[in-house]
């Protein structure tokens, strides 16, 4: 390991993480194994022992089993990230990979389509089988297809289209607002229509076509 002990190796990894970035035992074990040129099974016990010691020393905070975060000292004491924020981040990202996106009423609210603020944040994620810890107001949904960095924005918009009729929409011109969002995000309308046809029901496909092509959707609603 180039004379670098496990403790220093883990500290190097931890110091590179953002305060709101969850530190997973599985990921830091992979890192240690890669740096030490060993199998994960050979370093796992040493990683667990040293993570426990770093927690006891006050370098990290244990959020739940296998999940830690940095303990950051500020002028007002130590900063501890919100458990819900950390949990949501785990559902949205795997390292640099996008594996989830916010959906449901909270997205419609953020886009200005509804004024109602939901009690729970809703996230579609590849980790849709994950259990939500007690006290965290998050609903997990299964996405229509595996999420990645390319498709998550398209899926997020198509989820909004799917929910337009059932949500308490109170925007004056919701279809125009949504069309403007598609333009702002620089989404390819051909790709959007293709994904609507492939992964959503025909009702969503028709609405998507009407919205991106102009005022046909509003006319169809009468």
């Amino acid at each position: 390991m180039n004379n670098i002990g496990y403790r220093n190796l883990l500290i190097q990894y931890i110091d590179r993480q953002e305060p709101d970035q969850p530190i997973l035992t599985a990921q830091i074990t992979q890192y240690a194994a890669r740096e030490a040129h060993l199998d994960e099974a050979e370093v796992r016990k040493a990683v667990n022992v040293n993570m426990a010691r770093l927690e006891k020393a006050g370098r990290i905070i244990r959020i739940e089993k296998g999940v830690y975060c940095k303990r950051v000292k500020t002028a007002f004491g130590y900063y501890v990230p919100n458990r819900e924020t950390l949990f949501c981040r785990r559902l949205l990202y795997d390292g640099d990979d996008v594996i989830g996106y916010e959906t449901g009423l909270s997205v419609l609210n953020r886009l200005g389509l509804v004024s109602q603020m939901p009690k729970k944040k809703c996230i579609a994620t590849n980790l849709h089988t994950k259990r939500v810890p007690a006290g965290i107001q998050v609903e997990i949904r299964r996405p229509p297809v595996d999420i990645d960095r390319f498709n998550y924005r398209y899926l997020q918009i198509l989820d909004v289209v799917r929910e337009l009729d059932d949500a308490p929409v109170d925007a004056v011109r919701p279809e125009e607002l949504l069309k403007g969002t598609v333009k702002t995000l620089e989404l390819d309308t051909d790709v959007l229509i293709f994904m609507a046809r492939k992964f959503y029901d025909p009702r969503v496909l028709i609405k998507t076509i009407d919205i991106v092509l102009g005022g046909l959707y509003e006319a169809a609603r009468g």
Side-chain angles (χ1 to χ4, degrees), residues 98 101 145-156 195 199:
V98 176
Y101 58 87
V145 64
D146 282 350
I147 300 165
D148 57 37
R149 185 170 294 278
F150 170 75
N151 68 19
Y152 80 102
R153 287 293 190 191
Y154 291 91
L155 296 171
Q156 189 175 49
M195 292 184 67
F199 302 118

Side-chain angles (χ1 to χ4, degrees), residues 180-220:
T181 300
V182 171
K183 184 176 181 180
T184 299
L185 294 175
E186 298 181 340
L187 299 184
D188 186 316
T189 55
D190 289 340
V191 173
L192 191 68
I193 291 171
F194 170 79
M195 292 184 67
R197 180 177 64 81
K198 188 170 184 180
F199 302 118
Y200 291 78
D201 64 50
R203 181 176 63 91
V204 174
L205 172 61
I206 293 171
K207 287 183 180 180
T208 301
I209 292 172
D210 287 347
I211 289 172
V212 299
L213 292 182
L216 297 179
Y217 174 68
E218 185 176 352

Side-chain angles (χ1 to χ4, degrees), residues 16-148:
R16 289 202 294 263
Q17 308 307 308
E18 296 295 328
D20 288 331
Q21 175 69 39
I23 300 170
L24 308 184
T25 300
Q27 291 178 345
I28 205 167
T29 299
Q30 291 174 358
Y31 169 80
R34 185 169 62 250
E35 293 297 310
H37 305 291
L38 297 169
D39 292 333
E40 289 182 32
E42 296 180 74
V43 306
R44 185 171 291 111
K45 183 177 179 179
V47 168
N48 289 334
V49 169
N50 279 275
M51 289 295 279
R53 289 174 179 171
L54 289 172
E55 181 190 8
K56 188 175 181 179
R59 297 296 296 263
I60 55 176
I61 298 170
R62 184 178 184 272
I63 303 300
E64 58 181 288
K65 183 178 180 180
V67 183
Y68 298 83
C69 69
K70 289 171 66 173
R71 193 166 186 248
V72 183
K73 191 173 184 179
T74 71
F76 305 99
Y78 285 95
Y79 168 72
V80 180
N82 180 274
R83 287 181 68 241
E84 187 167 306
T85 300
L86 284 171
F87 181 73
C88 289
R89 187 171 180 84
R90 291 180 62 196
L91 299 177
L92 296 171
Y93 303 101
D94 181 8
D96 294 330
D97 297 327
V98 176
I99 61 169
Y101 58 87
E102 189 176 353
T103 188
L105 200 57
S106 58
V107 169
L108 272 71
N109 174 272
R110 183 155 51 81
L111 293 178
L113 293 164
V114 303
S115 57
Q116 179 179 331
M117 179 63 72
K119 294 180 179 179
K120 286 187 177 183
K121 182 177 290 186
C122 185
I123 294 178
T125 176
N126 295 344
L127 301 179
H128 53 85
T129 60
K130 191 169 185 60
R131 183 181 65 85
V132 180
I136 292 182
Q137 297 299 306
V138 174
E139 176 189 345
I140 295 178
R141 291 186 183 177
R142 180 174 184 169
V145 64
D146 282 350
I147 300 165
D148 57 37

